[in-house]
Amino acid sequence: MVSPVCRGSTVLFPRAAAATDLWNQHDVGYTYGLYGTPTTLELAARMCELEKGYRTLITPSGQAAISLIHLALLDGGGHVLLPESIYAPNRKLANDLLRRFGVEVSYYPPEAGAGITASFRGNTRLVWCESPGSITMEVEDVPAIAEVAHRHGALVVTDNTWSAGVYFDAFRHGADVTVQALTKYVGGHSDLLLGSVTARDRAVFERLGEAHSVLGYAASPDDSSLALRGLKTMAVRLKASEQSALALAEWLSQRSEIERVLHPALPSCPGHELFKRDFTGSTGLFSIVFREAYTREQVQGFVDELELFEIGYSWGGVASLALAYDLHSPKRPAYGCRLVRLYVGLESIEDLKADVEQALGKMNT
Ligand SMILES: Cc1ncc(COP(=O)(O)O)c(C=O)c1O
């Protein structure tokens, strides 16, 4: 029923001729802990089933999964395209580190769809999608982007963390690689950091696996065991989070303080039509934008007044979270300092609504 935790240890071989340190342990058996122990390999297999891919690699964090993809699939002189809405540390990695190694980095509007053609260069090798964007919630037309990318000989990678790989079938929509921060919904209890990278086919998996084996990205077997346990309850946790988030988002959209609720399942959200077409459900993360009259201090005051919602970055656990953002980029919707991202966890929806209501009430006084 429950897989044992196999920590990294010296792997012993029966004969001198049997000793090998090949990384591809799916084919050659357990050779070296750095490439995954039986526990992490089981998590990889479960994630691969969930994402419906060819094979999966487990990494020490979601950000490590992101860096693995960049480092495995790009060379100096190549070009990578990312949406303006991409997870900020991914953007920082591309701008600060990849450029140092001679990779060209540029950005496209997440609403581009087939219009992304204009952003392609002769040397474009990799296109990232993150759908929906994890702060501003734009849904991308991944099939249209993938069609253009493949025509230009580029690979497409999708950050599938928001949907937990459950509500968006990245490979059926044209992705070549999908990445998830297992830190979020798969872990589900805010007590681990892990990432996964799943490849559509053997050729891409081998490029990823070669890089993984030399980068030293050993994932913790203890954390992998927790993630395996998290997977057992993820479906019910996600459903509960989805229902409460939807109820709260709909209620918030009626409030006079709120200009806009950015929840992909609500028609007001950019990309809602694509969401209806491509997703089979929603999860617990969405954002609200306060009316222009509200100042940064008032918006931050709202977050401070929340009692059930804690203030924190990560999401996907039991506790609800809130975070105020400052978004002033001219290339993103100019929500300024009026956007608050909410993660709706597993508390009772009545308690959550009451908490938001009392915090909103204090803003007006
Ligand atoms: C969309 C998205 N991708 C990747 C990550 C990175 O995950 P980790 O915190 O495990 O490095 C995050 C974390 O916030 C995220 O929000």
Side-chain angles (χ1 to χ4, degrees):
M1 275 292 279
V2 178
S3 316
V5 178
C6 299
R7 299 212 170 86
S9 178
T10 302
V11 178
L12 302 177
F13 301 94
R15 296 176 314 283
T20 171
D21 66 350
L22 291 173
W23 66 268
N24 198 349
Q25 303 185 117
H26 296 92
D27 297 330
V28 299
Y30 188 24
T31 64
Y32 196 68
L34 189 62
Y35 313 142
T37 77
T39 312
T40 47
L41 292 178
E42 177 168 351
L43 177 59
R46 295 288 84 76
M47 287 309 301
C48 194
E49 274 176 49
L50 177 62
E51 297 270 22
K52 302 187 192 71
Y54 169 71
R55 266 178 196 160
T56 298
L57 295 155
I58 303 296
T59 56
S61 66
Q63 181 67 6
I66 288 168
S67 65
L68 169 66
I69 294 166
H70 281 295
L71 296 173
L73 303 180
L74 288 165
D75 300 301
H79 171 229
V80 59
L81 269 170
L82 300 109
E84 291 287 353
S85 48
I86 197 77
Y87 173 58
N90 189 346
R91 183 188 197 104
K92 193 163 165 50
L93 184 147
N95 288 350
D96 296 355
L97 192 135
L98 294 181
R99 281 186 174 141
R100 265 178 39 216
F101 291 95
V103 174
E104 293 172 26
V105 178
S106 68
Y107 295 87
Y108 67 91
E111 308 78 11
I116 196 174
T117 311
S119 303
F120 272 77
R121 302 177 187 169
N123 56 347
T124 306
R125 299 284 174 263
L126 191 62
V127 181
W128 280 80
C129 297
E130 183 182 312
S131 183
S134 62
I135 300 171
T136 36
M137 301 292 152
E138 301 89 344
V139 182
E140 295 195 62
D141 191 342
V142 177
I145 291 171
E147 199 274 317
V148 175
H150 292 153
R151 212 161 3 96
H152 287 79
L155 293 170
V156 175
V157 44
T158 303
D159 188 328
N160 213 4
T161 307
W162 186 88
S163 93
V166 173
Y167 296 130
F168 181 68
D169 184 342
F171 293 119
R172 201 167 62 77
H173 291 90
D176 301 289
V177 178
T178 112
V179 57
Q180 269 199 60
L182 308 184
T183 311
K184 314 284 192 272
Y185 290 117
V186 172
H189 297 78
S190 313
D191 56 2
L192 64 86
L193 287 154
L194 282 175
S196 69
V197 178
T198 305
R200 172 202 283 283
D201 61 33
R202 186 177 183 96
V204 175
F205 177 72
E206 292 202 336
R207 289 171 70 188
L208 292 162
E210 289 290 345
H212 183 265
S213 73
V214 292
L215 284 166
Y217 286 174
S220 151
D222 287 292
D223 289 354
S224 297
S225 157
L226 289 175
L228 283 165
R229 186 169 71 176
L231 277 174
K232 290 179 202 272
T233 57
M234 188 167 75
V236 282
R237 287 187 285 104
L238 279 181
K239 257 295 154 244
S241 216
E242 171 177 26
Q243 283 165 2
S244 298
L246 272 172
L248 190 65
E250 275 158 10
W251 179 80
L252 276 161
S253 65
Q254 306 303 318
R255 293 285 310 202
S256 60
E257 299 87 348
I258 306 300
E259 179 184 288
R260 184 180 257 220
V261 176
L262 298 170
H263 185 309
L266 265 54
S268 59
C269 188
H272 171 68
E273 291 305 317
L274 296 172
F275 174 81
K276 280 204 302 196
R277 186 191 72 185
D278 294 345
F279 285 70
T280 55
S282 57
T283 57
L285 196 73
F286 69 96
S287 296
I288 50 177
V289 181
F290 283 89
R291 288 199 189 284
E292 284 207 17
Y294 288 97
T295 63
R296 169 188 286 116
E297 289 66 33
Q298 281 177 302
V299 171
Q300 289 181 348
F302 162 76
V303 172
D304 289 341
E305 287 298 340
L306 290 166
E307 287 169 9
L308 262 185
F309 285 81
E310 309 276 6
I311 303 170
Y313 278 101
S314 218
W315 37 276
V318 170
S320 293
L321 298 169
L323 210 54
Y325 281 89
D326 234 334
L327 298 172
H328 287 283
S329 161
K331 299 210 174 121
R332 308 273 319 266
Y335 298 131
C337 49
R338 294 179 293 122
L339 184 144
V340 172
R341 187 177 77 175
L342 297 173
Y343 165 66
V344 178
L346 303 183
E347 303 91 339
S348 118
I349 179 62
E350 293 316 321
D351 290 351
L352 290 170
K353 263 192 211 160
D355 191 24
V356 174
E357 190 158 30
Q358 65 80 20
L360 286 175
K362 289 185 181 142
M363 281 182 98
N364 292 332
T365 55

